[in-house]
Amino acid sequence: SPLRAVTGDFADGADAKGEARLRLKLAIPFAKPEALQLQGDFRFTGNTLVLDSGLPPVERATGAVSFTEKSIQVSEASGRFLGGPFAISGGSGRGGDLTLIARGAFAVEALETLVDPSWRGLLKGSAPYTATILSRGKRPMRVIVESTLAGVASELPPPLV
């Protein structure tokens, strides 16, 4: 679909549960159906969103996604992920590249199921983070996560402290 060309495989495997409202306007010319025009607005409140089966779900997801056949924009989106609040915004730019920026805080305990058991219990606390999600055409999606880890305490042995 034209919209899949904008989002790439970003939403493949995603699953959502909860209430939502979709407004959709679709125009398909009989003489030239490939010249379709699409405009939509998807709003959701208090949903549970599974982005990938290997990640914890996003709880209390609330926000808006606006889209056309050539673009997508995420605004006013927020929820709880990895034990803390987060907000996400962004969308597609010229050329169809998708960039989303998430800012939030994580709790170390919420990460424990994602790490090797030998690391569990050695870190405690929470910290702010910024995640940048990039989808560039047919290239694999990139996720860049940055955090100062301020607020995370370590019980690792020297020299890892």
Side-chain angles (χ1 to χ4, degrees):
S1 76
L3 191 55
R4 182 157 180 17
V6 173
T7 62
D9 60 1
F10 177 73
D12 288 0
D15 183 44
K17 290 181 177 55
E19 298 293 320
R21 185 180 78 224
L22 173 65
R23 289 188 176 161
L24 187 62
K25 181 178 176 183
L26 178 64
I28 305 173
F30 286 121
K32 195 173 181 185
E34 65 276 5
L36 72 87
Q37 294 179 331
L38 173 68
Q39 183 177 0
D41 183 57
F42 182 74
R43 295 187 179 270
F44 50 98
T45 302
N47 286 211
T48 298
L49 177 62
V50 176
L51 297 172
D52 184 278
S53 62
L55 294 174
V58 175
E59 302 287 345
R60 297 185 286 212
T62 299
V65 178
S66 301
F67 56 90
T68 69
E69 72 278 2
K70 296 179 183 174
S71 67
I72 187 167
Q73 294 297 318
V74 177
S75 60
E76 307 166 23
S78 63
R80 291 194 60 81
F81 182 60
L82 298 175
F86 85 106
I88 188 167
S89 62
S92 59
R94 293 180 185 231
D97 293 347
L98 179 67
T99 302
L100 299 173
I101 307 290
R103 289 180 176 80
F106 70 89
V108 171
E109 295 80 27
L111 295 172
E112 287 197 336
T113 60
L114 302 174
V115 299
D116 187 273
S118 63
W119 285 87
R120 293 181 187 164
L122 297 174
L123 301 173
K124 301 211 182 309
S126 62
Y129 68 88
T130 300
T132 305
I133 302 150
L134 305 166
S135 180
R136 305 286 187 249
K138 297 194 182 295
R139 290 182 265 165
M141 182 175 40
R142 291 181 46 202
V143 179
I144 303 162
V145 180
E146 299 174 294
S147 176
T148 63
L149 300 180
V152 174
S154 166
E155 294 181 19
L156 293 169
L160 303 175
V161 177

PDB file of all heavy atoms in Angstrom, residues 60-73:
ATOM      1  N   ARG A  60      -1.094   2.117  28.674  1.00  0.00           N
ATOM      2  CA  ARG A  60      -1.799   3.412  28.691  1.00  0.00           C
ATOM      3  C   ARG A  60      -1.392   4.304  27.516  1.00  0.00           C
ATOM      4  O   ARG A  60      -1.228   5.529  27.674  1.00  0.00           O
ATOM      5  CB  ARG A  60      -1.592   4.122  30.019  1.00  0.00           C
ATOM      6  CG  ARG A  60      -2.174   3.331  31.184  1.00  0.00           C
ATOM      7  CD  ARG A  60      -2.072   4.075  32.469  1.00  0.00           C
ATOM      8  NE  ARG A  60      -0.680   4.056  32.930  1.00  0.00           N
ATOM      9  CZ  ARG A  60      -0.335   4.050  34.206  1.00  0.00           C
ATOM     10  NH1 ARG A  60      -1.228   4.064  35.127  1.00  0.00           N
ATOM     11  NH2 ARG A  60       0.928   4.030  34.544  1.00  0.00           N
ATOM     12  N   ALA A  61      -1.208   3.696  26.361  1.00  0.00           N
ATOM     13  CA  ALA A  61      -0.812   4.456  25.165  1.00  0.00           C
ATOM     14  C   ALA A  61      -1.953   5.367  24.725  1.00  0.00           C
ATOM     15  O   ALA A  61      -3.095   4.939  24.579  1.00  0.00           O
ATOM     16  CB  ALA A  61      -0.435   3.496  24.037  1.00  0.00           C
ATOM     17  N   THR A  62      -1.616   6.626  24.534  1.00  0.00           N
ATOM     18  CA  THR A  62      -2.577   7.642  24.135  1.00  0.00           C
ATOM     19  C   THR A  62      -1.917   8.525  23.085  1.00  0.00           C
ATOM     20  O   THR A  62      -0.741   8.845  23.212  1.00  0.00           O
ATOM     21  CB  THR A  62      -2.970   8.504  25.359  1.00  0.00           C
ATOM     22  OG1 THR A  62      -3.573   7.648  26.327  1.00  0.00           O
ATOM     23  CG2 THR A  62      -3.925   9.613  24.993  1.00  0.00           C
ATOM     24  N   GLY A  63      -2.645   8.882  22.045  1.00  0.00           N
ATOM     25  CA  GLY A  63      -2.045   9.768  21.057  1.00  0.00           C
ATOM     26  C   GLY A  63      -2.825   9.862  19.775  1.00  0.00           C
ATOM     27  O   GLY A  63      -3.969   9.412  19.687  1.00  0.00           O
ATOM     28  N   ALA A  64      -2.180  10.448  18.783  1.00  0.00           N
ATOM     29  CA  ALA A  64      -2.799  10.660  17.482  1.00  0.00           C
ATOM     30  C   ALA A  64      -1.788  10.370  16.388  1.00  0.00           C
ATOM     31  O   ALA A  64      -0.609  10.715  16.506  1.00  0.00           O
ATOM     32  CB  ALA A  64      -3.302  12.096  17.359  1.00  0.00           C
ATOM     33  N   VAL A  65      -2.265   9.724  15.325  1.00  0.00           N
ATOM     34  CA  VAL A  65      -1.455   9.462  14.136  1.00  0.00           C
ATOM     35  C   VAL A  65      -2.245   9.994  12.948  1.00  0.00           C
ATOM     36  O   VAL A  65      -3.383   9.572  12.709  1.00  0.00           O
ATOM     37  CB  VAL A  65      -1.169   7.956  13.954  1.00  0.00           C
ATOM     38  CG1 VAL A  65      -0.357   7.718  12.683  1.00  0.00           C
ATOM     39  CG2 VAL A  65      -0.468   7.374  15.170  1.00  0.00           C
ATOM     40  N   SER A  66      -1.664  10.929  12.228  1.00  0.00           N
ATOM     41  CA  SER A  66      -2.272  11.478  11.020  1.00  0.00           C
ATOM     42  C   SER A  66      -1.477  10.975   9.832  1.00  0.00           C
ATOM     43  O   SER A  66      -0.254  10.875   9.901  1.00  0.00           O
ATOM     44  CB  SER A  66      -2.252  13.007  11.044  1.00  0.00           C
ATOM     45  OG  SER A  66      -2.945  13.489  12.169  1.00  0.00           O
ATOM     46  N   PHE A  67      -2.168  10.679   8.742  1.00  0.00           N
ATOM     47  CA  PHE A  67      -1.452  10.126   7.590  1.00  0.00           C
ATOM     48  C   PHE A  67      -2.143  10.473   6.284  1.00  0.00           C
ATOM     49  O   PHE A  67      -3.331  10.785   6.253  1.00  0.00           O
ATOM     50  CB  PHE A  67      -1.306   8.600   7.724  1.00  0.00           C
ATOM     51  CG  PHE A  67      -2.604   7.869   7.902  1.00  0.00           C
ATOM     52  CD1 PHE A  67      -3.308   7.403   6.809  1.00  0.00           C
ATOM     53  CD2 PHE A  67      -3.123   7.651   9.171  1.00  0.00           C
ATOM     54  CE1 PHE A  67      -4.506   6.714   6.969  1.00  0.00           C
ATOM     55  CE2 PHE A  67      -4.313   6.976   9.354  1.00  0.00           C
ATOM     56  CZ  PHE A  67      -5.011   6.508   8.248  1.00  0.00           C
ATOM     57  N   THR A  68      -1.331  10.452   5.236  1.00  0.00           N
ATOM     58  CA  THR A  68      -1.807  10.562   3.858  1.00  0.00           C
ATOM     59  C   THR A  68      -1.171   9.405   3.108  1.00  0.00           C
ATOM     60  O   THR A  68      -0.460   8.584   3.695  1.00  0.00           O
ATOM     61  CB  THR A  68      -1.396  11.897   3.209  1.00  0.00           C
ATOM     62  OG1 THR A  68       0.025  11.896   3.014  1.00  0.00           O
ATOM     63  CG2 THR A  68      -1.807  13.094   4.062  1.00  0.00           C
ATOM     64  N   GLU A  69      -1.382   9.365   1.821  1.00  0.00           N
ATOM     65  CA  GLU A  69      -0.744   8.307   1.029  1.00  0.00           C
ATOM     66  C   GLU A  69       0.775   8.481   0.950  1.00  0.00           C
ATOM     67  O   GLU A  69       1.497   7.560   0.588  1.00  0.00           O
ATOM     68  CB  GLU A  69      -1.344   8.234  -0.381  1.00  0.00           C
ATOM     69  CG  GLU A  69      -0.974   9.380  -1.302  1.00  0.00           C
ATOM     70  CD  GLU A  69      -1.834  10.629  -1.094  1.00  0.00           C
ATOM     71  OE1 GLU A  69      -2.707  10.651  -0.214  1.00  0.00           O
ATOM     72  OE2 GLU A  69      -1.617  11.593  -1.849  1.00  0.00           O
ATOM     73  N   LYS A  70       1.281   9.671   1.337  1.00  0.00           N
ATOM     74  CA  LYS A  70       2.717   9.949   1.223  1.00  0.00           C
ATOM     75  C   LYS A  70       3.400  10.245   2.556  1.00  0.00           C
ATOM     76  O   LYS A  70       4.617  10.388   2.594  1.00  0.00           O
ATOM     77  CB  LYS A  70       2.933  11.147   0.301  1.00  0.00           C
ATOM     78  CG  LYS A  70       2.502  10.901  -1.118  1.00  0.00           C
ATOM     79  CD  LYS A  70       2.715  12.123  -1.965  1.00  0.00           C
ATOM     80  CE  LYS A  70       2.217  11.883  -3.379  1.00  0.00           C
ATOM     81  NZ  LYS A  70       2.286  13.078  -4.186  1.00  0.00           N
ATOM     82  N   SER A  71       2.637  10.391   3.643  1.00  0.00           N
ATOM     83  CA  SER A  71       3.274  10.812   4.886  1.00  0.00           C
ATOM     84  C   SER A  71       2.541  10.263   6.108  1.00  0.00           C
ATOM     85  O   SER A  71       1.385   9.840   6.023  1.00  0.00           O
ATOM     86  CB  SER A  71       3.314  12.340   4.968  1.00  0.00           C
ATOM     87  OG  SER A  71       1.994  12.855   5.095  1.00  0.00           O
ATOM     88  N   ILE A  72       3.240  10.324   7.231  1.00  0.00           N
ATOM     89  CA  ILE A  72       2.666   9.930   8.506  1.00  0.00           C
ATOM     90  C   ILE A  72       3.250  10.830   9.588  1.00  0.00           C
ATOM     91  O   ILE A  72       4.435  11.169   9.534  1.00  0.00           O
ATOM     92  CB  ILE A  72       2.914   8.444   8.807  1.00  0.00           C
ATOM     93  CG1 ILE A  72       2.165   8.009  10.071  1.00  0.00           C
ATOM     94  CG2 ILE A  72       4.396   8.137   8.901  1.00  0.00           C
ATOM     95  CD1 ILE A  72       2.106   6.501  10.247  1.00  0.00           C
ATOM     96  N   GLN A  73       2.412  11.269  10.544  1.00  0.00           N
ATOM     97  CA  GLN A  73       2.864  12.115  11.643  1.00  0.00           C
ATOM     98  C   GLN A  73       2.283  11.579  12.951  1.00  0.00           C
ATOM     99  O   GLN A  73       1.086  11.293  13.022  1.00  0.00           O
ATOM    100  CB  GLN A  73       2.408  13.568  11.461  1.00  0.00           C
ATOM    101  CG  GLN A  73       3.036  14.269  10.281  1.00  0.00           C
ATOM    102  CD  GLN A  73       4.536  14.410  10.407  1.00  0.00           C
ATOM    103  OE1 GLN A  73       5.052  14.726  11.468  1.00  0.00           O
ATOM    104  NE2 GLN A  73       5.254  14.148   9.329  1.00  0.00           N
TER     105      GLN A  73
END
